[in-house]
Amino acid sequence: MAANVRGASGRIRIVGGQLRNSRLDVPDLPGLRPTAERVRETLFNWLSPVIAGARCLDLCAGTGALGIEALSRGAASVQFVERDPRAAQALRDNLTRLKAQGGQVAGVDALAYLQGAPQPFELVFLDPPFAQDLWAVMAQRLEQGSWLSASAWIYVESPRSVAPVLPPSWSPHREGVAGEVRYALYRRVLAAA
């Protein structure tokens, strides 16, 4: 979930896959900023060769649009992490209503979640609240805490004017700008020993 000055309410649409055109209910919560449809469409076009069967982590999930889009397009599982109880419940309700298999919601703070027992993910969505400037600390915990598979993909969303400090092992793959949002896909590349 990322910060914005206005709350979001209503519904957003899943762009592709089995749940294409399904609507997600979006609670009216301050700071809730769902990833735009055209950004999700672009991102999942980039990910189309690797999404099938992927184990995904949607940190600061908010509406869960990114993770549900991943499930719709064939991801094996998505662990959603969302600290706001109302957003987490709305996410659970959407998963149930859509009969989306493979999604689990942890109603905890993302940094607290990353202190737990790690399991490596092949795809991570990193879209923290913009106002809290958490990219560097979350990226460091992901990288150093054994949360990423050896060649994981990491999606990062930030304000257009912000260039998050990310681990050197995260190699830029593709990026774009939509309005005031910068979105980028990275590939984890470990140095040969």
Side-chain angles (χ1 to χ4, degrees), residues 103-126:
Q104 293 187 343
V105 179
V108 298
D109 179 79
L111 290 174
Y113 180 84
L114 293 175
Q115 294 287 80
Q119 50 184 312
F121 290 95
E122 293 139 353
L123 174 59
V124 174
F125 302 107
L126 181 57

Side-chain angles (χ1 to χ4, degrees), residues 107-192:
V108 298
D109 179 79
L111 290 174
Y113 180 84
L114 293 175
Q115 294 287 80
Q119 50 184 312
F121 290 95
E122 293 139 353
L123 174 59
V124 174
F125 302 107
L126 181 57
D127 182 14
F130 283 7
Q132 295 182 20
D133 193 20
L134 294 171
W135 295 276
V137 66
M138 286 187 175
Q140 182 181 25
R141 287 196 187 174
L142 285 166
E143 181 63 31
Q144 295 176 350
S146 300
W147 290 99
L148 302 172
S149 68
S151 57
W153 294 91
I154 306 102
Y155 169 75
V156 179
E157 196 168 308
S158 63
R160 182 181 193 152
S161 61
V162 172
V165 176
L166 301 172
S169 58
W170 293 14
S171 177
H173 179 67
R174 292 194 175 170
E175 66 180 276
V177 173
E180 294 303 312
V181 173
R182 177 183 174 274
Y183 57 97
L185 184 62
Y186 296 84
R187 182 80 187 267
R188 187 177 191 226
V189 180
L190 299 177

